[in-house]
């Protein structure tokens, strides 16, 4: 049950003045209500201003700088309406002791202007000044008040992110009403911690962010902002810790086989394990030997050998008589995992099967019967298959590959497919430490930091698009020496048609220039068409593959040695790094060409520099976080950290660590949240939409 003190905050925004059903829809879209319900008052209050307008700046007309927002004390001069049927604006002159200014209006109502700007009277007018032909003007001033009404104008006005069709004044009015509904909530933070940081209470922090006294009040490092960011991070970490505790109570199975099957897999490898691979396998074996369920994240750069670690872990579980499953996000990847594991499984004696959406009903039925009879040890397929009706005789371990959207709920759902199922999540996106805590705070983490032996570093250069012809002739020369080349075109989500045209156009030009057939892969093709194009490239029937970013994850062609990324300035760092990882997978030196269209902005320039300087994915991920915020790294488009409205990974990383430790300590001392602070923390979880975690508490 939600604590009643929070009821005013869970009222729909449509209960606020000025917000009818139509505006409520706009507000919900802006502040992140759920698709099936309007946003609440709390959702609105967590929509934080991004900047301020300071109306205290009163320089006088002559001293107003171009582009500044100023407040002027003026006497209204003449009205100059435009001639009939003319498109010219309506102008009003005004003056003070320092000079003269024009107020400019387009399509105004004359009677309204006469009332608001009466000739010969004094008015306090505020708005943005622009100098035009050496004369100052103000287009559509924000305020025009009688001197005795001047106090009605806010001295400092917060500026919020808006959406089309929603006026700033409407949002401000609703926000003011929402603030009046703010109840006094019990303090959920530790008294000593609160005191040490000098933070205000929750209510004061929220009130100050919406009615700041100074610009510094709304900066991410202000005490008010930090307090709320910490609240949000604590809610998230506490929810993850509750999920983790719940997973643990479901109990696991201690798996301590002889290790013979695992050794057989490792012995079948044509190379030696790297030190970090060996360490990851050791950590996983230790997890499996415990009677609690494993939840581990395996992070490794492209080509660091995660699949080998996963197979070694699966072998350990299969030796105890249980079954394993590996889930990949796409069919291409599932097939690739299957192909790379098949020879190792054959040598070690593991019965491996592939299940994809292309299987006929008959094939699927046979597979299902084999799984139920325990005749298959390890099945590889896409996520969709496992979320459906597939059953197992005795599922012991699941490996989830490359799925950021595979969240806490799916991890819980998986556990229903077997008794004490152990879970290993793999990702090739190097996720900065702070984001690992955010999204995988309920997991232990292993990192693969070296590349397998024999891999050569990739040489990266950036080249202006003006030199396109030169790059094409170099590609031609490389192909004639037997090399293979990827050519990547960017994707602008807003306009698929333009992209398709760009990719097809590039494909045509390259075929014409290089006088040979070239493979093409883009998002509008069917899976069969994509597979056929990939197969041609892999087999060497074609030597160049032109693609949109579909090839980003997991496509494995060891003899491809060059990748050209067109319009590299449009890609994020993590994505450039992922794409670069498509080459350098064999033992030949490889190169990555970043083609950019100048002039480069500061961020884009910084990105390309980092790419040239380092091949280290973890370093790149940390830099990426600084350059563009955490949301995009994990594929959630909003700015800020995934699932967060206030906290920002790049500004509040240190708070994340403290919140995690705090959450763990809370659950050690008060696992059912029954103490006074525990009851207050329940309020916190509800406020930040983490109440599903409360249902996991043993007490309900």
């Amino acid at each position: 049950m939600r604590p009643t003190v929070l009821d005013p905050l869970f009222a729909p925004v449509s209960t606020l003045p000025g917000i009818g059903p139509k505006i409520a829809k706009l507000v919900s879209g802006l502040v992140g209500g759920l698709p099936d319900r309007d946003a609440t008052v709390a959702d609105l209050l967590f929509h934080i201003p991004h900047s301020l307008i300071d109306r205290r700046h009163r320089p006088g007309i002559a001293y107003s700088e171009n582009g500044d927002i100023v407040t002027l004390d003026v006497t209204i001069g003449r009205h100059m309406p435009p001639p009939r049927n003319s498109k010219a604006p309506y102008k009003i002159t005004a003056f003070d002791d320092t000079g003269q200014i024009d107020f400019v209006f387009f399509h105004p109502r004359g009677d309204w202007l006469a009332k608001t700007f009466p000739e010969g009277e004094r008015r306090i007018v505020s708005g943005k000044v622009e100098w035009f032909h050496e004369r100052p003007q103000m287009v559509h001033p924000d305020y025009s008040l009688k001197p005795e009404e001047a106090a009605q104008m806010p001295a400092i006005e917060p500026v919020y992110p808006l959406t089309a069709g929603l006026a700033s004044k409407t949002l401000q009015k609703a926000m003011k009403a929402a603030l009046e509904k703010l109840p006094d909530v019990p303090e959920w933070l530790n008294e000593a911690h609160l005191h040490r940081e000098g933070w205000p209470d929750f209510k004061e922090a929220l009130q100050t962010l919406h009615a700041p006294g100074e610009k510094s009040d709304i900066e991410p490092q202000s005490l008010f902002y930090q307090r709320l960011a910490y609240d949000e991070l604590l809610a998230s970490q506490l929810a993850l810790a509750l999920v983790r505790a719940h997973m643990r109570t479901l109990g696991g199975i201690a798996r301590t086989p002889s290790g013979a099957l695992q050794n057989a897999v490792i012995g079948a490898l044509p190379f030696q394990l790297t030190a970090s691979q060996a360490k990851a396998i050791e950590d996983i074996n230790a997890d499996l030997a415990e009677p609690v369920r494993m939840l581990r994240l395996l992070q490794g750069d492209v080509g660091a050998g995660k699949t080998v670690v996963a197979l070694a872990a699966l072998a350990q579980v299969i030796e105890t008589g249980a079954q394993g499953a590996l889930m990949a996000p796409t069919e291409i990847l599932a097939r690739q995992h299957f192909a790379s594991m098949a020879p190792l499984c054959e040598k070690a004696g593991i019965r491996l099967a592939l299940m994809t959406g292309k299987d006929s009903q008959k094939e699927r039925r046979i597979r299902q019967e084999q799984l139920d009879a325990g005749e298959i040890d390890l099945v590889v397929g896409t996520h969709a298959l496992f979320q459906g009706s597939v059953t197992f005789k005795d599922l012991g371990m699941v490996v989830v590959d490359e799925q950021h959207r595979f969240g806490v709920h799916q991890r819980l759902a998986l556990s229903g497919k077997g008794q004490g199922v152990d879970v290993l999540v793999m990702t090739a996106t190097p996720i900065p430490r702070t984001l690992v805590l955010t999204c995988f705070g309920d997991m232990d983490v292993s990192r693969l930091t070296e590349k397998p032996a024999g891999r050569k570093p990739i040489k990266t250069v950036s080249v202006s698009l003006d030199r396109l012809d030169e790059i094409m002739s170099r590609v031609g020369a490389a192909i004639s020496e037997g090399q293979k080349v990827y050519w990547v075109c960017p994707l602008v989500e807003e306009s698929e048609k333009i992209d398709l045209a760009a990719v097809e156009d590039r494909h045509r030009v390259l075929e014409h220039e290089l006088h040979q057939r070239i493979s093409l892969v883009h998002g509008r093709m069917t899976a069969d068409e994509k597979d056929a194009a990939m197969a041609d490239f892999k087999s060497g029937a074609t030597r160049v593959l032109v693609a949109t970013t579909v090839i980003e994850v997991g496509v494995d062609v060891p003899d491809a040695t060059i990748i050209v990324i067109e319009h590299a300035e449009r890609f994020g760092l993590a994505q450039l790094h992922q794409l670069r990882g498509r080459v350098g997978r064999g033992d030949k030196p490889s190169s990555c060409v970043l083609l950019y269209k100048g002039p480069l902005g500061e961020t884009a320039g910084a990105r390309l520099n980092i790419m040239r300087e380092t091949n280290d994915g973890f370093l790149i991920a940390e830099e990426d976080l600084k350059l563009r915020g955490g949301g995009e790294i994990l594929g959630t488009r909003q700015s800020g950290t995934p699932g967060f409205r206030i906290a920002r990974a790049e500004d509040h990383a240190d708070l994340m660590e403290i919140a995690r430790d705090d959450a763990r300590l809370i659950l050690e001392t008060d696992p059912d949240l029954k103490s006074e602070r525990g009851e207050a923390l329940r309020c916190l979880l509800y406020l930040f939409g983490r109440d599903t975690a409360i249902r996991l508490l043993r007490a309900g």
Side-chain angles (χ1 to χ4, degrees):
M1 286 289 292
R2 184 174 69 218
T4 49
V5 66
L6 299 178
D7 289 350
L9 295 177
F10 281 84
V13 284
S14 50
T15 57
L16 296 170
I19 298 194
K22 193 172 151 207
I23 298 288
K25 253 197 172 49
L26 289 175
V27 171
S28 297
L30 177 67
V31 305
L34 294 173
D36 54 346
R37 65 159 176 81
D38 274 354
T40 61
V41 171
D43 291 327
L44 181 66
L45 287 171
F46 291 149
H47 188 64
I48 301 294
H50 60 71
S51 57
L52 295 182
I53 295 172
D54 188 343
R55 305 237 178 240
R56 298 171 301 184
H57 184 45
R58 299 182 169 225
I61 293 173
Y63 305 110
S64 298
E65 304 266 340
N66 187 34
D68 274 6
I69 288 179
V70 300
T71 300
L72 302 171
D73 186 339
V74 295
T75 303
I76 304 298
R78 285 190 315 128
H79 280 237
M80 294 175 284
R84 281 186 87 91
N85 299 331
S86 148
K87 295 240 168 99
Y90 190 118
K91 289 188 178 179
I92 300 172
T93 61
F95 55 89
D96 66 8
D97 300 343
T98 70
Q100 186 173 325
I101 190 168
D102 291 335
F103 299 139
V104 179
F105 299 87
F106 295 91
H107 320 295
R109 289 206 335 266
D111 55 341
W112 177 81
L113 285 180
K115 201 171 92 189
T116 315
F117 297 90
E119 290 187 3
E121 290 195 23
R122 217 179 115 209
R123 284 291 179 270
I124 307 296
V125 182
S126 188
K128 186 176 179 179
V129 171
E130 286 162 317
W131 285 77
F132 193 66
H133 295 320
E134 315 252 315
R135 279 179 65 114
Q137 60 174 31
M138 193 181 279
V139 180
H140 291 268
D142 301 330
Y143 290 92
S144 169
L145 299 164
K146 296 176 184 168
E148 60 272 21
E149 299 167 344
Q152 292 173 14
M153 182 174 69
I156 290 187
E157 204 172 295
V159 181
Y160 295 93
L162 287 173
T163 186
L166 179 64
S168 168
K169 289 223 164 103
T170 309
L171 188 69
Q172 303 258 12
K173 184 178 170 189
M175 203 63 91
K176 206 169 166 189
L179 281 169
E180 284 164 13
K181 291 191 167 208
L182 246 185
D184 291 308
V185 290
E187 182 55 77
W188 45 72
L189 292 191
N190 172 316
E191 198 65 42
H193 181 204
L194 199 62
H195 203 69
R196 190 170 63 246
E197 297 292 343
W199 287 342
D201 65 25
F202 173 79
K203 187 173 181 178
E204 187 193 338
L206 207 46
Q207 283 170 330
T208 308
L209 279 188
H210 290 295
E214 292 300 333
K215 177 142 179 33
S216 58
D217 289 347
I218 61 163
E219 281 169 1
Q221 295 309 332
S222 82
L223 295 175
F224 309 101
Y225 205 129
Q226 284 208 322
R227 157 78 211 225
L228 292 174
Y230 186 77
D231 286 339
E232 188 171 29
L233 294 171
L234 181 60
S236 154
Q237 290 301 309
L238 192 55
L240 281 170
L242 283 165
V243 168
R244 186 187 179 102
H246 177 70
M247 293 291 263
R248 304 260 169 190
T249 58
L250 297 176
I253 294 168
R255 304 183 194 276
T256 49
S258 68
L261 195 58
Q262 188 175 75
N263 290 335
V265 167
I266 294 170
L269 293 171
F271 51 80
Q272 286 271 282
L273 292 177
T274 64
S276 50
Q277 278 176 317
K279 173 81 173 82
I281 292 171
E282 192 185 312
D283 289 343
I284 290 168
N285 288 347
D287 284 356
L288 294 174
E290 294 287 325
V292 285
R293 302 178 51 200
M294 172 171 82
L295 261 182
R296 185 169 282 277
L297 174 69
L298 178 64
Q299 276 190 282
D301 222 334
V302 175
K306 292 180 296 296
T307 316
V308 169
V309 173
L311 187 55
L314 288 159
Q316 196 74 340
V317 173
I318 291 165
E319 193 186 332
T320 65
Q323 293 163 300
L326 188 146
M327 309 183 346
T330 64
E331 209 146 292
I332 288 185
L333 271 179
R335 289 178 184 285
Q336 209 164 281
H337 278 306
F338 178 75
S340 67
M341 286 176 162
L344 297 171
C345 287
E346 200 174 326
K347 282 185 185 158
I350 293 172
R351 296 167 297 178
L352 177 69
L354 176 69
M355 287 179 91
T356 74
K358 290 208 186 112
D359 299 345
S360 66
Q361 292 227 282
K362 184 183 171 191
E363 287 171 318
R364 190 172 295 190
R365 197 185 69 245
I366 292 169
R367 285 271 176 278
Q368 185 56 69
E369 285 167 4
Q370 290 173 317
L371 279 172
D372 288 338
E375 290 161 15
I376 292 174
D377 298 318
L378 173 54
V379 61
V380 177
T382 55
H383 297 134
L385 286 171
F386 291 92
Q387 278 149 6
S389 55
V390 178
T391 53
F392 295 83
K393 181 182 180 195
D394 176 14
L395 179 63
M397 179 172 177
V398 175
V399 178
V400 182
D401 183 30
E402 213 37 87
Q403 179 74 324
H404 306 315
R405 291 166 296 285
F406 196 80
V408 170
H409 297 297
Q410 288 91 332
R411 302 211 273 276
L412 283 169
L414 258 184
S415 45
K417 297 265 183 192
Q419 235 9 74
V421 180
D422 292 302
V423 180
L424 181 69
V425 177
M426 304 197 293
T427 175
T429 309
I431 307 172
R433 191 178 150 63
T434 40
L435 289 186
V436 168
L437 291 180
T438 315
C439 301
F440 304 101
D442 57 335
M443 298 195 158
D444 299 304
V445 181
S446 292
R447 274 186 163 188
L448 302 182
T449 47
E450 314 106 315
K451 287 271 199 294
R455 295 274 171 102
K456 300 268 194 300
I458 303 165
K459 181 174 188 247
T460 304
V461 293
S462 49
V463 178
S464 165
L465 263 167
D466 305 337
R467 292 166 55 194
L468 183 63
D469 294 346
E470 187 187 323
I471 296 298
M472 283 201 219
S473 62
R474 283 193 165 172
V475 165
I479 302 170
S480 57
E481 291 168 10
Q483 298 191 50
K484 285 187 188 169
V485 181
Y486 289 106
W487 191 294
V488 182
C489 299
L491 209 57
V492 190
E493 285 171 8
E494 283 71 43
S495 84
E496 274 191 351
K497 286 198 184 82
I498 297 176
D499 291 337
L500 211 52
V503 145
E504 288 172 339
D505 192 39
R506 177 59 68 233
H507 178 245
R508 228 182 354 261
V509 169
L510 283 168
E511 281 200 327
H512 177 74
E513 288 289 321
L514 304 173
H515 311 294
Q516 56 180 278
R517 191 165 77 83
I518 284 173
S519 290
L520 173 66
V521 174
H522 57 70
R524 281 284 180 86
M525 292 161 75
T526 65
D528 288 344
E529 289 170 327
K530 282 185 207 165
D531 286 351
M534 285 301 309
D536 282 349
F537 183 56
K538 220 168 169 161
S539 68
T542 56
R543 295 248 148 226
V544 179
L545 173 70
V546 174
T548 50
T549 47
V550 235
I551 62 154
E552 184 179 343
V553 175
V555 176
D556 194 11
V557 182
D559 53 348
T561 51
I562 297 173
I563 184 163
V564 178
I565 303 174
E566 205 170 319
H567 282 293
E569 76 280 356
R570 292 195 204 163
F571 293 93
L573 256 178
Q575 208 179 12
L576 287 172
H577 179 65
Q578 282 271 19
L579 287 166
R580 174 168 65 182
R582 297 295 110 227
V583 296
R585 300 173 85 90
D587 49 8
K588 295 198 174 64
S590 297
S591 44
C592 166
V593 181
L594 305 171
L595 278 178
Y596 66 86
K597 186 173 172 22
L600 284 176
E602 198 178 327
T603 309
R607 272 190 208 135
L608 299 190
N609 281 339
I610 293 163
M611 285 296 292
R612 285 203 307 268
E613 285 160 14
T614 179
N615 268 301
D616 178 340
F618 291 108
L619 188 70
I620 283 172
E622 298 290 349
E623 291 300 322
D624 200 18
L625 186 62
K626 286 181 199 151
L627 288 175
R628 62 169 185 166
E632 301 206 14
I633 293 177
L634 290 169
T636 49
R637 291 300 296 245
Q638 301 77 7
S639 63
T641 310
F644 288 117
R645 304 179 201 188
I646 298 170
R648 292 156 56 153
E650 58 275 37
D651 294 307
H652 303 122
D654 51 333
L655 297 180
M656 177 84 76
E657 305 255 357
I658 302 167
R660 185 178 66 157
D661 295 342
D662 196 359
R664 288 196 167 168
L665 192 65
I666 290 163
L667 288 193
E668 273 168 31
T669 52
D670 182 16
D672 296 328
L673 300 185
K674 280 288 176 56
S675 67
E676 194 180 338
R677 184 181 180 200
E679 292 292 344
L681 285 161
R682 288 174 180 238
C683 283
L684 172 73
L685 289 168
Y686 272 105
L687 257 180
F688 285 99
R690 299 289 197 274
D691 40 296
T692 38
I694 294 179
R695 291 183 213 132
L696 298 178
L697 286 170
R698 284 190 289 281

